[in-house]
Amino acid sequence: MKSVNKIPVSKLARAKHIVSTGAKVGVNYLNYYKDKITKTEEEARDTLNSSNAEDIYESLSSLKGSPLKVAQMLSMEKNILPQQYVDKFSLAQFSVPPLSAPLVNKVFRDHFGEAPNKFFDEFQTDSHKAASIGQVHRAKKDGKELAVKIQYPGVADSISSDLRLVKPIALRMFNLPTKDSEKYFKEVEGKLLEETDYTLELQQSIEVSEACAHIPNLKFPTYYPDWSSDKILTMDFMHGQHLSEFAAENQDPQLANQIGQALWDFYMFQIHERKKVHADPHPGNFLVSPDHQLIPLDFGCMKTIPIDFYEPYFQLANPQLLKNQDDFQQKLLQLEIIKASDKPADRQLFTEIFQQLISLLAKPFQQDTFNFADKNFFDQVYGIAEKYGNQKELKSMSGNRGSEHFLYINRTFFGLYSLMHQLQASHINTANYTPQIGESGV
């Protein structure tokens, strides 16, 4: 894979880059209209989607940072984008063009005053893994085998301006009214800024690994503060397969359940005991070790769950509440899904929709064991998402529904469910960690 020698850093340079990408997309549309003369609509549309996905991903890969991170997030939303985009954007999870060796050396000298091959006993200039915010290199020091994550130059400084550039596209894609969208973008911007603070990530990594050490079949690297900075993070190098690779090759249902149980317990313990969760559940952030232990990585994106969101969110899963429309609507009001100003017909529509959605998605919480390998369950999930996602009447009034906390909590659950299904985990004990509702609970 060709390495990157320079990343556009200034606002003007990055804006020009996005404009030039827009011009390429414009040419692709011209070709699409020509193709429709000689091809079927489906063939022409597939060619358009493939060309656009290629050009947009190439542009985002050279920009790095928040635009590429957004692509990574969208790759998990299989009901939003055409498959060509999902396939291409999925590369942002763990395979993007890396920084060249001279650029890596410069970043390291800026923070430690010397080149990495002088600081470490051994340092591989070719990256082991390159993603949206930074890339990982293998190294050795004092007999330890290490992974050294180096942040791309200018990423943190460009987040706010980058998001302003992509905001108009996101508003159209997610049907968000401009005047009410600020809280959602503030949530994304805040999380992306946190992900560029490797000092914070170091602290969070140590906290999570210590708090979750008791969970069976989990393994964590050791982190090294003395060999880290706000842009460089050093930890043990962990051997293993990416979760998706393991899932694709594994033929042992018992191993699938073992890894799946560790993954489920890892998330449920964080959510229900700590009220703070690893909110980036894509396959590139998990390894399966040779001795079949789950290794969570990358704790830059952690979401704190406020108690005034946590309680009504998990109260919705209560089967008795689902049957009581008045109480159910009260929780929807607390979560900003329905509004006091809604017309009765609109309130009724959203109540019925969310009763259907939650009745389905809450099933793992309503029984002691759950089969995440059940294709019928996931067909229903994708089917109901597609049904309401394409409903014009709903789109016209649903843009700014829900607390901003839904963005990362829903992302966490949909990502977790997807990983469990990839694993084909068929017998998972879902009763180990359950919602903790206070006196105000139902």
Side-chain angles (χ1 to χ4, degrees), residues 109-329:
R109 284 194 186 97
D110 289 345
H111 288 269
F112 286 103
E114 57 184 339
N117 60 354
K118 300 293 185 182
F119 186 86
F120 294 104
D121 299 332
E122 296 179 25
F123 184 85
Q124 295 185 6
T125 53
D126 292 336
S127 75
H128 172 71
K129 169 186 168 184
S132 52
I133 302 294
Q135 64 187 44
V136 176
H137 293 257
R138 296 184 68 168
K140 288 184 179 179
K141 190 175 179 70
D142 298 343
K144 300 179 186 297
E145 193 175 5
L146 304 170
V148 183
K149 184 160 72 169
I150 299 175
Q151 189 174 128
Y152 302 129
V155 164
D157 297 333
S158 64
I159 284 175
S160 296
S161 56
D162 283 347
L163 285 178
R164 282 196 293 272
L165 289 171
V166 302
K167 184 175 181 179
I169 300 171
L171 289 175
R172 289 197 301 273
M173 182 176 291
F174 297 106
N175 193 39
L176 296 172
T178 304
K179 67 176 182 177
D180 295 322
S181 65
E182 196 58 33
K183 66 179 182 180
Y184 303 107
F185 282 91
K186 284 293 183 185
E187 177 80 353
V188 172
E189 182 179 349
K191 281 283 158 280
L192 289 174
L193 285 169
E194 288 179 10
E195 288 193 66
T196 62
D197 183 351
Y198 283 3
T199 302
L200 175 63
E201 182 175 342
L202 173 68
Q203 174 190 332
Q204 292 180 156
S205 301
I206 294 171
E207 288 176 354
V208 174
S209 58
E210 290 178 350
C212 298
H214 67 283
I215 297 174
N217 299 311
L218 275 186
K219 180 186 291 187
F220 296 91
T222 298
Y223 295 86
Y224 299 96
D226 292 343
W227 303 339
S228 303
S229 74
D230 60 336
K231 304 298 179 189
I232 296 172
L233 181 61
T234 301
M235 68 200 82
D236 287 336
F237 183 86
M238 306 299 285
H239 293 270
Q241 289 181 294
H242 286 298
L243 188 64
S244 54
E245 295 170 340
F246 169 81
E249 296 178 8
N250 178 54
Q251 299 294 319
D252 185 342
Q254 188 172 349
L255 279 181
N257 288 333
Q258 177 177 308
I259 299 299
Q261 190 68 60
L263 182 65
W264 182 262
D265 289 348
F266 173 63
Y267 272 95
M268 293 306 107
F269 175 78
Q270 291 178 84
I271 289 170
H272 299 309
E273 301 291 335
R274 303 187 74 235
K275 308 296 189 294
K276 187 174 183 178
V277 65
H278 178 282
D280 202 4
H282 67 74
N285 278 343
F286 294 92
L287 299 177
V288 178
S289 70
D291 60 345
H292 303 120
Q293 304 287 291
L294 179 69
I295 307 171
L297 302 170
D298 196 341
F299 295 98
C301 184
M302 297 289 295
K303 171 62 182 174
T304 299
I305 312 172
I307 195 66
D308 60 353
F309 176 85
Y310 171 89
E311 291 207 348
Y313 185 88
F314 284 100
Q315 285 166 352
L316 287 177
N318 186 312
Q320 298 305 313
L321 183 72
L322 283 166
K323 297 174 184 177
N324 188 319
Q325 190 168 103
D326 289 340
D327 288 345
F328 187 78
Q329 285 190 352

Side-chain angles (χ1 to χ4, degrees), residues 374-388:
D374 182 4
K375 183 178 181 296
N376 182 57
F377 172 74
F378 282 89
D379 284 346
Q380 290 180 59
V381 170
Y382 294 136
I384 201 168
E386 183 176 0
K387 172 185 175 182
Y388 290 120

Side-chain angles (χ1 to χ4, degrees), residues 305-363:
I305 312 172
I307 195 66
D308 60 353
F309 176 85
Y310 171 89
E311 291 207 348
Y313 185 88
F314 284 100
Q315 285 166 352
L316 287 177
N318 186 312
Q320 298 305 313
L321 183 72
L322 283 166
K323 297 174 184 177
N324 188 319
Q325 190 168 103
D326 289 340
D327 288 345
F328 187 78
Q329 285 190 352
Q330 184 58 40
K331 301 307 174 188
L332 296 185
L333 275 168
Q334 286 180 254
L335 294 168
E336 303 174 45
I337 292 169
I338 60 176
K339 305 176 182 180
S341 59
D342 282 340
K343 297 177 182 178
D346 293 343
R347 177 179 289 215
Q348 183 63 30
L349 175 63
F350 276 106
T351 300
E352 291 174 358
I353 289 171
F354 275 86
Q355 280 177 323
Q356 292 181 49
L357 282 169
I358 294 165
S359 293
L360 177 62
L361 295 174
K363 283 185 176 180

Side-chain angles (χ1 to χ4, degrees), residues 16-32 47-60 62 85:
K16 285 182 177 179
H17 199 85
I18 290 178
V19 169
S20 68
T21 304
K24 291 181 182 179
V25 170
V27 171
N28 293 338
Y29 270 98
L30 289 176
N31 291 332
Y32 160 69
T47 300
L48 171 66
N49 288 337
S50 295
S51 299
N52 280 348
E54 179 76 31
D55 289 336
I56 292 171
Y57 181 72
E58 181 181 344
S59 175
L60 299 183
S62 59
Y85 288 86

